[in-house]
Amino acid sequence: MPLPTKKTPRFRQEILALFGLFLSIFLLLCLVSYSLPLLSDRPVLQMPGENWCGSIGYYIARYLLSFLGLTSLFPVLILLYTSISVMIPGGTTNRLPFVVAGVSGILISASGLLATTESLIFPAEMIRPGGYLGGLIWDLVGRLMGSVGSVLLLILLFIFSLMAAVHFSPFGAGKWLWLTGGKVSK
């Protein structure tokens, strides 16, 4: 006779999902508030008291953007997605290890890929697109595999990480594009 398995109470999952939801919204507000002065006609760095989330929000956004660059939005958006998916009936936290592994791979690969550009959205002297991590990854992988090999490896890592984090299927996406494209052309 099999032993009964201990199930995690649904209430605890909902509390964690709600905490994750509010954390992701807080982080998103920190990053958006920090980014707005950089997108103006004359870009300037924000002062700590000017962030919508106070000085804590300022420092969180500053260090996230300087370390991860534009990829700092990925973990926030995936945390938002995961929190919402757990709160939907039938959702669970059993996939959390896959989400963490996927987010880690997305951060590494996207930072490395963005490090190949000089400037993307923000002025390069204020925020590098790939951040410090992207520059480190690009230098390390670029020395071992060259530019083309590095781009291919980082794209492959990005796709595998998306597959782990959000159940992304490249073949399913291709099929959907093919079917949707066929309907549009008619």
Side-chain angles (χ1 to χ4, degrees):
M1 177 192 248
L3 295 174
T5 59
K6 191 173 186 178
K7 294 185 178 180
T8 307
R10 179 79 181 150
F11 184 69
R12 190 169 114 195
Q13 286 182 351
E14 289 177 357
I15 288 174
L16 288 173
L18 195 58
F19 177 73
L21 180 67
F22 278 96
L23 179 65
S24 63
I25 291 171
F26 175 77
L27 291 173
L28 190 61
L29 288 173
C30 293
L31 291 169
V32 168
S33 175
Y34 187 83
S35 301
L36 286 178
L38 295 171
L39 297 173
S40 65
D41 292 335
R42 290 185 293 162
V44 294
L45 288 175
Q46 185 180 57
M47 299 303 291
E50 296 172 348
N51 194 290
W52 297 340
C53 299
S55 58
I56 289 176
Y58 165 80
Y59 287 111
I60 289 172
R62 178 178 175 196
Y63 291 116
L64 274 176
L65 284 170
S66 66
F67 186 70
L68 298 174
L70 296 176
T71 58
S72 59
L73 291 173
F74 283 126
V76 174
L77 294 176
I78 291 180
L79 178 63
L80 182 69
Y81 166 79
T82 305
S83 299
I84 290 172
S85 69
V86 168
M87 290 194 296
I88 294 173
T92 67
T93 58
N94 294 341
R95 294 200 60 256
L96 196 57
F98 295 105
V99 171
V100 170
V103 168
S104 301
I106 289 170
L107 288 176
I108 290 170
S109 60
S111 293
L113 288 169
L114 286 172
T116 63
T117 61
E118 288 290 322
S119 172
L120 201 55
I121 295 174
F122 303 113
E125 63 273 2
M126 295 183 183
I127 296 177
R128 295 184 339 189
Y132 175 75
L133 178 67
L136 183 69
I137 296 295
W138 183 252
D139 287 342
L140 180 70
V141 177
R143 287 181 189 169
L144 297 174
M145 300 184 70
S147 298
V148 176
S150 299
V151 168
L152 288 174
L153 177 70
L154 292 173
I155 288 174
L156 181 67
L157 178 62
F158 186 79
I159 292 171
F160 283 160
S161 301
L162 273 176
M163 291 171 72
V166 295
H167 280 285
F168 172 75
S169 169
F171 299 114
K175 180 181 176 184
W176 178 82
L177 284 173
W178 180 264
L179 293 174
T180 304
K183 291 178 185 176
V184 172
S185 65
K186 290 181 181 179

